[in-house]
Amino acid sequence: QEPLVESGGGSVHVGESLTLSCVASGFPFDLRCLGWFRQSSKGEREGVAQIDIGNLTTITESVKGRFTISRDNAKNTLYLEMNNLKSEDSGLYRCAARPSGYGWCDEQLGATKFAVWGQGTQVTVSS
């Protein structure tokens, strides 16, 4: 069983909304810093948002005010609510968890700090 499984992606138009989910299994979800990353068609990876065990969040500047990250520890599920989507938001969205012992997130949204990754869910935003 995969440790992180994303869902909720799809094809939408500019201005529409999507909510992504990431279900975790096999590790103590509630004790980890969690994040969302996206990879463009050109292969460029960008940190989108992260949330720590105290629900403190970091959101990358390009999506502030439009995206919200949240977690439901009872359901072992991480969410990314995306509103007012833009074409540049298109990409493969992957959730990730930091290693054991890292309940707090670093100030920077660095992919190299995350050890467990999902396969991703595709988001396509067209005009």
Side-chain angles (χ1 to χ4, degrees), residues 7-121:
S7 63
S11 296
V12 296
H13 292 105
V14 169
E16 293 184 339
S17 300
L18 281 173
T19 296
L20 307 182
S21 299
C22 171
V23 178
S25 62
F27 66 92
F29 175 87
D30 57 337
L31 299 180
R32 304 284 184 96
C33 163
L34 306 167
W36 284 100
F37 295 81
R38 64 187 179 190
Q39 187 167 331
S40 70
S41 58
K42 298 178 181 179
E44 299 165 339
R45 185 169 58 184
E46 176 187 22
V48 176
Q50 62 183 3
I51 184 168
D52 68 21
I53 59 174
N55 288 322
L56 183 65
T57 64
T58 304
I59 309 291
T60 198
E61 196 63 35
S62 62
V63 306
K64 272 184 181 177
R66 300 189 296 119
F67 288 16
T68 302
I69 186 172
S70 61
R71 63 194 297 166
D72 185 336
N73 291 336
K75 296 182 178 179
N76 278 4
T77 303
L78 177 70
Y79 301 99
L80 184 68
E81 181 183 348
M82 307 186 294
N83 297 311
N84 191 22
L85 282 160
K86 303 177 180 181
S87 56
E88 53 263 41
D89 294 321
S90 296
L92 181 67
Y93 282 71
R94 302 176 70 186
C95 63
R98 289 204 64 182
S100 175
Y102 287 88
W104 307 107
C105 303
D106 285 354
E107 191 172 327
Q108 297 300 318
L109 242 174
T112 57
K113 302 295 182 66
F114 288 77
V116 184
W117 291 83
Q119 294 298 310
T121 185

